Amino acid sequence: MNAPAIVTFLRRLFYIRRGRRSFESPRYLLKWLLISTLIGLVAGVGAIAFYAAIHFATDLFLGRLIGYLPPGPAGEGEQTTVMSFWSATRPWLLPVVTTVGALISGIIVFNLAPEAEGHGTDAAIAAFHEGKAIRARIPLVKLVASAITIGTGGSAGREGPAAQISAGFGSILANVLRLDVQDRRIALATGIGAGIGAIFRAPLGGAILAAEILYKDDLEVEAIIPALMASIIGYSVFGAWSGWQPIFATPPNLAFTSPPQLLYYVVLGVLCGLLGLLYARGFYGITHIFHRLKLPNWFKPGIGGLFVGLIGLVMPQALGMGYGWVQVSMGPGLLSLPLWVILLLPFAKILTTGLSIGSGGSGGIFGPGMVIGGMVGACFWRLCYHVFPGLPATPAPFVIVGMMALFGGIAHAPLAVMLMVAEMTGNLSMLAPAMIAVGIATILVGGTTMYTSQVPTRADSPAHRLQLSFPLLSTLSVQKAMQPLMLRFIPGQFLSQAEELLGQRKASGAPVIDQAGNLVGVLTMADIERIPREERAQRFINEVMHNDVLTFYPDGTLDEALEGLSTRRVSWAPVIDAEGLTGDRSVLGLISVADIVHLYRETVAKDVRRMRGLVEGTVMIETTIEPGMRLAGVALREAQLPPESLVVSIRRSGELLFPRGSSVIEAGDVVTFMVSIKAEEQLHRYLAQREAPVLLAGD
């Protein structure tokens, strides 16, 4: 079996009827197990490549050129001792290295993939909501550019690039398998969770983040189980290469055992909420300044890199990812740092992150956010230690809760960030006080967010707006609006013949079908008009037709069909058979925007509400009984309802009645029927019947 045949087989295998999209369905579970496994494998391999690239660049630029390596977290097997920056062999080279590194990153991004600019996660969120595919080159460009930015001292994290790498693969896989609109978005969200869960060794937090980070006040529930599967696969691949220990090492016997300490965590939550607001507004304020500069886009990161290098000469703790300084702050090493460094580091980190990424550089904002939050907790402990009673004996609790509170609030992902930090520190005992601090920080943050592509709820997202605004469309099938195929072409026809036929039928286009009856493309009048008139009698249809055709299945839903048509900016598409697992693509009919609108209006005009049934293969029909209807004034046992239909409930004057055989349906009653899908039309005809008026003597 060749590659195209395998892809076609998988497309049909992964097609699941709308009513069977539940993880209780073995086929649906198998589908996402396979897709999530592929995404997880790529996320794990991508995390390995990105991790190795960052460390190679850091060793080359900061280590060999400058002679300085910042401390790293204990769980990554790096040096955790604090090396003096001024003991480096060539510290004066730092501004040169940060400037050149940022320029190289800018040249790569803006010449190869401008959408890879910035922190990556926001771009993946935007792709989810807008239904856009992520170009295949984005993951590689993001990996290289971000590794150079971070390796040369730029203040950035690694979650954004990791998320965009695996989300990009999820988007590519969805295109190859021709998943429908809903599944494409789930695959992309799954990639976000798998990439972040792998590189941070936090599979549970990463999976929850995939569902939570898309909205300010909502969750993408459908993405949780696929993201869990992909995230654990990615974590397993990355862990097998890097080790299984958490990123940060915490002091032993760390636990929350003193309820009065909750007062301190309330104060910490307030501080983290305020600093979170400063982080978001400062970052995007710097970003807007760079956007207004009348300079080439590729040149702007160099300016940001120069300022980062100059700040690094004074405060090298603000360079790079900064995880090592969080590790130092969790133990007695915090007391060895000058107080002014601890006080200024959160603000310096906000500034260097804005200069590194807001200028157009490439990297994540999650990591710097955790460093800022951790240092806020460390600073609070350092100032209050020996002053206020009952503080923990070590700064680690405040550092851990500070990481959770600051970024959990400003990212509007409190649950996911709490779980991630707990996994990254290997400590769940601080979740209790973290709930207080994260809750307060989230309240203070309000509607401000680090991810500008987030929308408030599912109802505000283009991904769900159509479904939630017009819920009736999600209950109507494509087959109900489909029109029979009246015109078709074969690949060997001349364009002049096709033009004449389209003119006679006043059609904008038609599908192209081979001799075996399978769809091979679509030809439109616009395609014909691109060819000079004198050449149309010699050119064949297969030379100009579209091969990448938008298609729908008959049991798909109209909300998905309408979204697919509007996304691709076409007015009609073929409906193909979905039954077999072969490569056959027989055309059953056509579906158009006009057909969808016509069926919608027709259904609304019936004054009948249609819902999914409680049992698979059934629907619920709710209608108001009007005077003169066949059912009005009749006992249910005498109503002679169509087969496979059942009265479920009767609502009369606000009171719910449970139907019995003796129940008499009255005009004005709202009656709910459960009916099989195949008997639905028969029930509609029954309800439309009217009793003939009785003629009285003398009339």
Side-chain angles (χ1 to χ4, degrees):
M1 186 179 289
N2 55 24
I6 293 174
V7 171
T8 302
F9 175 81
L10 289 175
R11 287 172 183 165
R12 295 303 180 95
L13 178 65
F14 287 165
Y15 172 71
I16 307 291
R17 296 177 187 272
R18 177 71 176 242
R20 299 175 185 173
R21 289 185 178 181
S22 167
F23 285 98
E24 297 176 359
S25 165
R27 186 174 173 185
Y28 191 70
L29 180 61
L30 174 62
K31 166 186 173 176
W32 278 107
L33 181 61
L34 294 175
I35 293 175
S36 298
T37 298
L38 291 174
I39 294 174
L41 289 172
V42 171
V45 174
I48 292 172
F50 188 39
Y51 182 95
I54 290 174
H55 285 264
F56 173 79
T58 302
D59 182 67
L60 175 63
F61 294 111
L62 293 183
R64 298 187 183 182
L65 290 181
I66 297 175
Y68 168 76
L69 282 176
E76 296 188 347
E78 300 179 15
Q79 56 118 2
T80 57
T81 57
V82 179
M83 172 186 173
S84 172
F85 175 75
W86 295 107
S87 65
T89 54
R90 290 174 290 275
W92 49 270
L93 266 180
L94 179 63
V96 177
V97 169
T98 55
T99 303
V100 172
L103 277 174
I104 295 173
S105 176
I107 291 170
I108 291 173
V109 167
F110 288 103
N111 282 281
L112 297 179
E115 60 266 47
E117 171 196 4
H119 48 87
T121 306
D122 207 47
I125 295 172
F128 174 89
H129 290 304
E130 297 167 11
K132 294 181 179 179
I134 298 177
R135 287 199 294 169
R137 69 175 68 178
I138 297 298
L140 182 60
V141 171
K142 196 71 180 176
L143 186 152
V144 174
S146 300
I148 293 174
T149 297
I150 297 171
T152 54
S155 177
R158 57 197 187 197
E159 94 295 336
Q164 205 166 15
I165 289 169
S166 48
F169 176 76
S171 178
I172 294 168
L173 186 62
N175 288 335
V176 170
L177 298 177
R178 290 186 181 173
L179 300 181
D180 61 30
V181 177
Q182 181 188 12
D183 287 344
R184 286 169 184 262
R185 288 189 165 107
I186 293 177
L188 193 148
T190 298
I192 295 175
I196 294 176
I199 203 159
F200 282 121
R201 303 178 204 171
L204 178 58
I208 302 301
L209 189 71
E212 194 174 17
I213 205 170
L214 302 170
Y215 306 99
K216 293 180 182 178
D217 306 307
D218 211 337
L219 283 172
E220 189 67 28
V221 180
E222 293 87 351
I224 292 178
I225 292 180
L228 282 170
M229 293 187 287
S231 188
I232 194 63
I233 296 292
Y235 166 72
S236 300
V237 172
F238 186 71
W241 178 78
S242 65
W244 305 101
Q245 64 277 18
I247 291 179
F248 297 107
T250 58
N253 302 321
L254 190 65
F256 172 70
T257 57
S258 177
Q261 288 181 2
L262 290 176
L263 294 174
Y264 295 120
Y265 291 108
V266 169
V267 177
L268 182 57
V270 172
L271 293 174
C272 288
L274 296 176
L275 263 292
L277 286 171
L278 180 63
Y279 182 29
R281 293 172 181 173
F283 176 83
Y284 286 107
I286 294 172
T287 301
H288 293 153
I289 291 173
F290 276 100
H291 282 173
R292 289 196 295 266
L293 289 179
K294 304 299 183 181
L295 294 170
N297 286 332
W298 62 267
F299 186 75
K300 295 177 185 178
I303 298 175
L306 174 62
F307 282 107
V308 169
L310 294 175
I311 294 172
L313 289 175
V314 179
M315 188 175 289
Q317 295 85 357
L319 299 172
M321 292 184 293
Y323 301 149
W325 296 108
V326 174
Q327 181 68 76
V328 170
S329 300
M330 287 187 183
L334 179 65
L335 298 175
S336 65
L337 292 175
L339 182 59
W340 68 271
V341 170
I342 301 172
L343 289 171
L344 294 181
L345 183 53
F347 304 97
K349 195 67 177 173
I350 292 173
L351 183 58
T352 55
T353 303
L355 292 168
S356 299
I357 306 172
S359 62
S362 183
I365 56 175
F366 180 93
M370 287 199 305
V371 174
I372 295 167
M375 296 312 298
V376 169
C379 180
F380 181 57
W381 183 88
R382 177 77 178 267
L383 291 175
C384 297
Y385 189 59
H386 291 317
V387 176
F388 296 104
L391 263 73
T394 173
F398 281 10
V399 173
I400 293 172
V401 173
M403 287 193 287
M404 295 177 179
L406 188 138
F407 204 77
I410 200 61
H412 290 271
L415 178 60
V417 173
M418 282 195 297
L419 291 174
M420 284 190 66
V421 175
E423 290 179 286
M424 291 168 66
T425 58
N427 189 291
L428 297 174
S429 63
M430 301 311 300
L431 287 177
M435 294 176 190
I436 297 291
V438 172
I440 291 174
T442 302
I443 292 171
L444 287 175
V445 163
T448 307
T449 177
M450 284 302 297
Y451 298 110
T452 56
S453 295
Q454 284 179 335
V455 296
T457 66
R458 290 157 62 95
D460 301 292
S461 170
H464 299 286
R465 186 179 298 150
L466 189 64
Q467 177 186 357
L468 297 177
S469 300
F470 301 95
L472 178 61
L473 287 179
S474 66
T475 70
L476 298 173
S477 68
V478 168
Q479 188 172 17
K480 288 183 175 295
M482 180 180 71
Q483 298 299 317
L485 184 63
M486 305 300 293
L487 177 63
R488 69 184 70 187
F489 299 130
I490 59 174
Q493 278 184 283
F494 290 111
L495 290 178
S496 57
Q497 296 174 314
E499 183 180 19
E500 182 180 356
L501 289 170
L502 289 175
Q504 292 174 356
R505 296 295 183 92
K506 296 182 180 180
S508 62
V512 182
I513 300 173
D514 63 16
Q515 294 181 349
N518 295 325
L519 177 70
V520 293
V522 162
L523 180 73
T524 66
M525 187 63 81
D527 299 326
I528 298 174
E529 291 173 349
R530 282 195 287 267
I531 305 301
R533 185 173 296 275
E534 61 274 10
E535 298 181 15
R536 295 173 189 173
Q538 291 82 35
R539 299 285 295 274
F540 294 109
I541 286 177
N542 61 336
E543 298 178 38
V544 298
M545 69 181 184
H546 289 283
N547 296 309
D548 183 19
V549 183
L550 174 68
T551 59
F552 298 105
Y553 296 116
D555 55 359
T557 56
L558 290 188
D559 61 325
E560 292 181 348
L562 185 56
E563 183 177 1
L565 292 169
S566 60
T567 301
R568 293 283 290 269
R569 297 184 179 181
V570 294
S571 60
W572 61 273
V575 180
I576 62 174
D577 187 13
E579 291 303 319
L581 293 179
T582 66
D584 297 338
R585 287 163 59 82
S586 57
V587 179
L588 303 177
L590 301 179
I591 182 75
S592 69
V593 174
D595 297 330
I596 295 173
V597 173
H598 176 74
L599 179 63
Y600 177 80
R601 288 178 174 174
E602 186 180 73
T603 306
V604 170
K606 292 178 180 177
D607 194 25
V608 173
R609 184 182 176 192
R610 186 180 189 273
M611 301 158 283
R612 292 189 183 90
L614 302 174
V615 180
E616 185 178 339
T618 66
V619 293
M620 307 292 285
I621 303 295
E622 184 180 271
T623 187
T624 301
I625 304 301
E626 299 175 357
M629 290 180 67
R630 180 176 176 180
L631 196 57
V634 178
L636 281 180
R637 66 166 62 97
E638 302 169 1
Q640 298 180 347
L641 292 173
E644 300 185 24
S645 59
L646 175 70
V647 173
V648 176
S649 68
I650 304 169
R651 188 173 294 276
R652 180 179 299 162
S653 301
E655 182 181 358
L656 184 64
L657 307 177
F658 293 96
R660 305 174 185 272
S662 58
S663 299
V664 177
I665 306 296
E666 299 178 1
D669 288 351
V670 178
V671 181
T672 302
F673 300 86
M674 184 168 70
V675 60
S676 68
I677 293 176
K678 64 181 181 180
E680 182 183 357
E681 286 300 324
Q682 191 175 355
L683 177 62
H684 283 303
R685 289 195 297 269
Y686 174 87
L687 293 173
Q689 292 177 6
R690 295 292 191 272
E691 292 289 349
V694 178
L695 297 179
L696 301 177
D699 286 354

